[in-house]
Structures are given as structure tokens and as C-alpha cells.
Amino acid sequence: MNSLILKKKLDTTSNFSVIDIFEKAARKAGKILISDFGKIENFKIHSKEIGDFVTSVDIKVEKILLDTLQQFYPNASYITEESDEIKGEEETIIIDPIDGTSNFIHGIPFVGIVIGRVFKGEITDGVIFNPILDEFYWATKGAGAWCNNKKINVSNIDRIENCLIGNSIPHANRGYQNYLIEIDNIAKKCSGLRSTGAAAIDLALVASGKTDAFWQRNLKIWDISSGVLLVREAGGKVTQPSGDEWTIEKSDILVSNNFIHNQFLEELNSK
């Protein structure tokens, strides 16, 4: 079943309306990214700390997203990367205006507008939109994972030595104990490591079967909410790197195609 048929089937449900509204907001905001991409002279850059930037484009995009979404969800709570939390009802909308801001600044096309919905502690809907590559990833709980009009699934590779693994090497003050050991443990056992510089995009790559696993620590909920749902709906597995259950309060994550998850945990945590 393609996504257009699925949308018609879900047309009368609140679930589809969530994705439809998220897409409307993301595509409207995406026009700003497209117009300013590769034109660093057009926007202002502020460094929050080493390697953590916010641009005037982030602020403009976030405003467009909030203005659009609040028309449809005026009573929801909002958690965004660049603004203070907006307290509302139990339904929470999570926004990252540009995941991969450093990529955007440098003209690297791995960026994502991320919007997710959390209700009663569960991620129910999410989108990741890369307007530069025109890739619109979306998922609703129970309806599968999609990129544009194509259903996506995780890979079926079952041996870690044949896998491409996603990770982001910590920089500045983001290092953690044993991170070099973790990277060495996995690098010695897999076919290669890949990093896009945007966790949302890394998760979308696992969901679409282009990479086979991804792990990273010290992330924020706006980085990963939609990607977690994508991976699950595409048939993948989500835990903490320890193997413990992942919940929305957790900042460390491991996702995989499910087939290699136990192998990955064993290698990652080997001494």
C-alpha cells in the first residue's frame, strides 16, 4: 500500500490529521531553509557554546512552525530547542527547527525539521523533513514508516560485520567516559561508521535501511522523538546503549534493524 492510499484510509482519523498538519508546517518552514541554504552571508550566527550554534534562520523557522501548529493545537504544550517550554495540556508537540545547524551553516545538506507529538508519555506521530533533499519522513503509531510516498523498512542484515553503523563523535565538552572505547569496539567489528551530524537524519537512515544501527549519548528529546517512532514503525528496535528500556526521559539511545541488536550490545559494552 502506498502512502497516498494509506492517507485516504486514515483521512477521517485524528492520527492522519496530525501528520497532515505537521507536513503543512514543515513544508512552509522549509522554504526558509531552501532560500538561505549555502548563503551564510544572509543570516546571523550565535554560538551557545563550543560547537553548538543557533542562527537567525533557526529562530525564523521555529516561529513559522509554532505559528502554524498553534492554529491547530492552541491548547497543547510545546517543547522547542530555541524557546522556553510552553505549558498547556497533556498533549505535547516537540520541535527542532533545524537539526544539523552546523551542517546548515557549512552548506552540508544533512538537515532536518523535526516535529513530534507525545501523549501520555508515548510518541504517537512524527515527521523529519529535509527540504534541501526533499525527503519527508513520517510515521504514525501503527501505520508504518514512510519517506515521501514510499513505505520504508529497516535492513535485514543479521551479522554486524556486514553492517554500516551510525554514530556521532563527541566534540567540545560532550565527551563521556569510555566513548573512544565504544567507538573502537564497534569500528573493529563492522563494515564502517557513518555520521551525518544530525541525529534525526541518522535515525531516518536506520529506519530506511540505509544504515543498520545508530547509537549516541547526551541527546535531547527534540533530536530523537520522531526518529525513534520512525525506527519502531519500520521494524527496528530501540533501547538505551546499556540494553535497558528507552523512554522519552532518556538521553542515550541505541537503535538497530533488530537482527543485530544483541550482537551490537555485546560488542559495544565489551571491556
Side-chain angles (χ1 to χ4, degrees):
M1 181 185 299
N2 68 40
S3 67
L4 294 177
I5 296 173
L6 176 63
K7 287 177 180 179
K8 288 179 181 178
K9 287 187 67 176
L10 297 175
D11 192 39
T12 59
T13 72
S14 59
N15 283 339
F16 172 69
S17 67
V18 172
I19 295 299
D20 198 28
I21 292 164
F22 284 7
E23 181 173 11
K24 176 183 176 70
R27 291 194 180 275
K28 183 176 181 180
K31 294 176 182 178
I32 301 295
L33 267 71
I34 293 170
S35 66
D36 284 337
F37 182 72
K39 301 173 184 175
I40 192 170
E41 69 277 3
N42 286 1
F43 50 86
K44 297 178 181 178
I45 303 170
H46 172 69
S47 178
K48 293 184 280 188
E49 58 183 51
I50 297 175
D52 188 7
F53 301 99
V54 60
T55 72
S56 54
V57 181
D58 291 79
I59 303 304
K60 284 194 293 184
V61 167
E62 185 170 283
K63 184 179 187 306
I64 290 170
L65 294 172
L66 279 171
D67 287 349
T68 303
L69 293 167
Q70 286 180 316
Q71 293 177 35
F72 296 93
Y73 303 105
N75 299 318
S77 297
Y78 287 84
I79 298 174
T80 72
E81 182 174 11
E82 309 302 346
S83 303
D84 293 334
E85 182 176 354
I86 299 171
K87 293 286 190 179
E89 296 178 351
E90 188 172 11
E91 179 180 46
T92 301
I93 309 298
I94 298 171
I95 296 171
D96 190 345
I98 307 178
D99 188 40
T101 297
S102 292
N103 287 346
F104 179 76
I105 292 169
H106 289 273
I108 299 170
F110 300 128
V111 298
I113 295 172
V114 183
I115 312 171
R117 177 183 182 266
V118 174
F119 186 66
K120 295 184 177 179
E122 185 175 30
I123 306 164
T124 62
D125 307 85
V127 305
I128 301 169
F129 179 44
N130 182 340
I132 311 303
L133 301 180
D134 193 26
E135 293 177 336
F136 182 76
Y137 294 93
W138 63 275
T140 287
K141 186 181 178 184
W146 302 78
C147 181
N148 298 332
N149 293 328
K150 182 179 179 182
K151 196 172 192 297
I152 57 175
N153 296 284
V154 296
S155 70
N156 59 6
I157 298 175
D158 61 2
R159 297 180 63 87
I160 194 170
E161 58 263 35
N162 297 326
C163 291
L164 282 179
I165 308 297
N167 178 247
S168 183
I169 297 174
H171 60 277
N173 62 351
R174 300 183 186 183
Y176 53 88
Q177 187 177 11
N178 296 331
Y179 78 88
L180 288 175
I181 293 174
E182 286 186 354
I183 291 169
D184 186 54
N185 285 346
I186 297 302
K188 290 187 297 189
K189 296 293 185 178
C190 70
S191 289
L193 297 178
R194 297 292 184 269
S195 176
T196 69
I201 301 300
D202 284 314
L203 290 164
L205 291 178
V206 176
S208 55
K210 295 173 182 175
T211 58
D212 308 292
F214 168 76
W215 93 101
Q216 192 171 340
R217 298 182 185 270
N218 303 320
L219 291 165
K220 303 295 186 182
I221 187 60
W222 50 74
D223 296 318
I224 54 179
S225 58
S226 296
V228 163
L229 184 61
L230 272 172
V231 170
R232 286 173 170 165
E233 288 297 317
K237 186 169 183 175
V238 180
T239 67
Q240 295 182 68
S242 63
D244 293 336
E245 180 185 7
W246 184 89
T247 62
I248 60 172
E249 296 84 14
K250 305 301 182 183
S251 61
D252 302 341
I253 195 166
L254 163 62
V255 305
S256 79
N257 66 1
N258 211 343
F259 296 98
I260 65 161
H261 206 86
N262 290 337
Q263 296 174 57
F264 195 101
L265 285 169
E266 182 177 348
E267 298 299 342
L268 182 68
N269 296 299
S270 63
K271 302 298 184 183

